[in-house]
Amino acid sequence: MNIRKIKDSVFQLGAVDWDRRLFDSLIPLPDGTSYNAYLVKGTEKTALVDTADPAKVDIIMEQLSDVVKIDYIVAQHAEQDHSGSIPQVLAKYPEAIILASPKCKPMLVDHLHLAENKIRTVADGEKISLGSHTLEFIHTPWVHWPETMCTFVHEEKILFSCDFFGAHLATSDLFAQDDERVYEAAKRYYAEIMMPFRGIIRKNIDKISNFPVEIICPSHGPAYKHPSFIINAYKDWISETPKNNLVVAYISMHNSTRILVDHLVASCASKGVFVQQFDLSVTDIGKLAIALVDAATVVLGTPTVHVGAHPHVLNAANLANSLRPKLKFASIIGSYGWATKAVEQLASAIGALKLEIIPPVLCKGMPTQQDIEAIESLALEISKRHATLAGVVSPS
Ligand code: FEO
């Protein structure tokens, strides 16, 4: 992508990574991603806000080919997908000063081996004049590392929001156009990257609400001309009350667990619970993470493998445990041949979530009529608990 104008003195640089399919060797990227950098040309000074992933350094250097001078490189985040091209930019503009939060400075030294004397720290609320334009730095920790900050351009009412409000979405749109597609990508991003920090995100949203933001320019995905679209979405996602949603994540090897899952899903749906079912042998874990944003209950379904839970189900439990969704309830269903420790293992794996564990249902071999009745009881217990949530109509 070429340099693109956002306002007369503000431009987007960076790269659209159409083909990347995995981030952190963990997170699926079905729609690719982008690494957005921004250039603000004041009458006296020029600032580059962030750079790009090292894999795309040639693109940003080409975009800078006609830029004679850069005075400041603002490093909003030390993670390499935004900071990784700073060494090459600095080599081209050796007079430039890197501006970073106090927590970011040592990270830039550690991760990129930048010289400490090239980095000037900026305080929360500190302003830098570019002549015609003023940049104000807003410390917004945990979006998504502890050092992250946003940058507000007062004269243009533009917020450079770092990973905050980002979306892993490769698109030629400079501004969000397809709300449905952007919403899904942004929710995936929130679920995988931001969800564990939602308490702090609430404070960060309060903080940026003090600024008259007209355009949000995140570090991934399209920019927003209507900030309320993404801010309201975040307010919904970080609210503490889950929805009347059940996530069933399972594996079945010889169909016993699947029979339990099918009965549970049908029974809960008939009681008015919104259910999302994920076969962990084929599912996109990003979809699972999205579903966990709103869910009140997760049910893990597992066969028994060597007396324990299936490894894919343990992985899903570990993922849920680390993403810290606002779940309230959990249960475990599954099957075994002669003995099992799956319940203890899975309950321990999601221990950090401090959920109420609704009594599990484990069947020996193929489910019997008694096992199916136990599943019906589990469905009733789930629907009763959901009825205690705000805004949920009681089951009849
Ligand atoms: Fe897009 Fe946390 O880096």
Side-chain angles (χ1 to χ4, degrees), residues 23 77 79-82 143-145 163 168 189 193 219-220:
F23 200 86
H77 184 12
E79 192 167 14
Q80 292 88 337
D81 52 329
H82 310 295
V143 292
H144 101 265
W145 283 2
D163 280 346
H168 280 315
Y189 191 82
I193 306 288
S219 297
H220 297 285

Side-chain angles (χ1 to χ4, degrees), residues 11 85 105 110 125 127 133 174-175 195 217 220 226 253 267-268 270 277 285 290-292 295 303 333:
F11 303 86
S85 297
K105 179 174 178 176
D110 289 341
K127 294 176 182 172
H133 290 71
L174 175 58
F175 292 100
M195 187 153 62
C217 294
H220 297 285
H226 304 291
M253 298 194 307
S267 185
C268 284
S270 73
Q277 176 179 329
I285 60 163
I290 291 172
L292 289 172
I333 62 176

Side-chain angles (χ1 to χ4, degrees), residues 53-105:
D53 189 275
K56 300 295 180 186
V57 64
D58 291 350
I59 291 176
I60 195 164
M61 295 312 292
E62 173 66 25
Q63 292 167 336
L64 291 171
S65 57
D66 293 331
V67 177
V68 176
K69 189 163 183 275
I70 286 180
D71 300 279
Y72 301 116
I73 302 168
V74 179
Q76 301 191 113
H77 184 12
E79 192 167 14
Q80 292 88 337
D81 52 329
H82 310 295
S83 68
S85 297
I86 288 177
Q88 289 85 347
V89 173
L90 200 56
K92 177 176 164 77
Y93 304 100
E95 74 285 3
I97 297 294
I98 299 165
L99 303 176
S101 72
K103 284 187 178 164
C104 188
K105 179 174 178 176

